[in-house]
Amino acid sequence: MLKQNILNSILFLKCPQCRQGQFLKANPYLFSKMNSVKERCPKCQLKYSIEPSFYTGSMYVSYGVGIAFAVAAYMILLILGLANSPMRIFIVIVITLVAFFPYIGAVSKSIWAHLFFKYDAVRAQKVKNDSRT
């Protein structure tokens, strides 16, 4: 099994404490439950929400992640030599942001949670060795 580091935990939407349990209730692209965070980690039982509206702050993170996706789309256009029209650049960036909107929201919540919850190696090892979960 691949060792879970913080980047893998954020990108694959895992628990910030044990880095094994699922963070979201469902896939970010399932629009009926889009970016709904679970109450607790199914592995280590960490309560994901410190207070009501805890994930409101992830909107600020979402802005930065969206900018990163837009810059990445622009850089790909530059590398491919297709950045010769401002309208083409605009359309490609908008399509990229619309296509990745659910994932951007999910990864922003994951980043926000990782800022506030600390990784616990001892608990992660216990969860990993526990056959009941």
Side-chain angles (χ1 to χ4, degrees), residues 70-131:
V71 168
Y74 177 67
M75 295 305 290
I76 290 171
L77 283 176
L78 280 176
I79 290 168
L80 296 176
L82 300 173
N84 51 5
S85 163
M87 185 55 78
R88 177 182 292 159
I89 295 168
F90 175 76
I91 290 170
V92 169
I93 289 174
V94 168
I95 289 171
T96 300
L97 292 176
V98 168
F100 286 101
F101 168 72
Y103 182 71
I104 290 170
V107 83
S108 298
K109 285 184 177 184
S110 181
I111 291 169
W112 189 254
H114 278 78
L115 288 173
F116 289 93
F117 298 111
K118 185 178 143 197
Y119 175 66
D120 186 350
V122 174
R123 183 169 289 196
Q125 191 61 36
K126 283 182 186 176
V127 170
K128 184 178 178 182
N129 293 335
D130 190 359
S131 62

Side-chain angles (χ1 to χ4, degrees), residues 12-64:
F12 293 106
L13 309 172
K14 298 292 183 181
C15 171
Q17 182 170 277
C18 69
R19 297 183 182 165
Q20 296 172 41
Q22 291 296 323
F23 184 66
L24 298 179
K25 290 181 181 177
N27 187 307
Y29 287 91
L30 181 64
F31 291 114
S32 64
K33 294 183 182 180
M34 184 167 48
N35 297 334
S36 296
V37 177
K38 290 184 175 190
E39 178 80 21
R40 293 185 176 275
C41 174
K43 299 280 187 171
C44 69
Q45 300 305 313
L46 170 69
K47 185 176 179 187
Y48 285 142
S49 186
I50 296 173
E51 60 186 31
S53 303
F54 173 67
Y55 291 100
T56 304
S58 71
M59 291 186 303
Y60 299 106
V61 176
S62 178
Y63 176 76

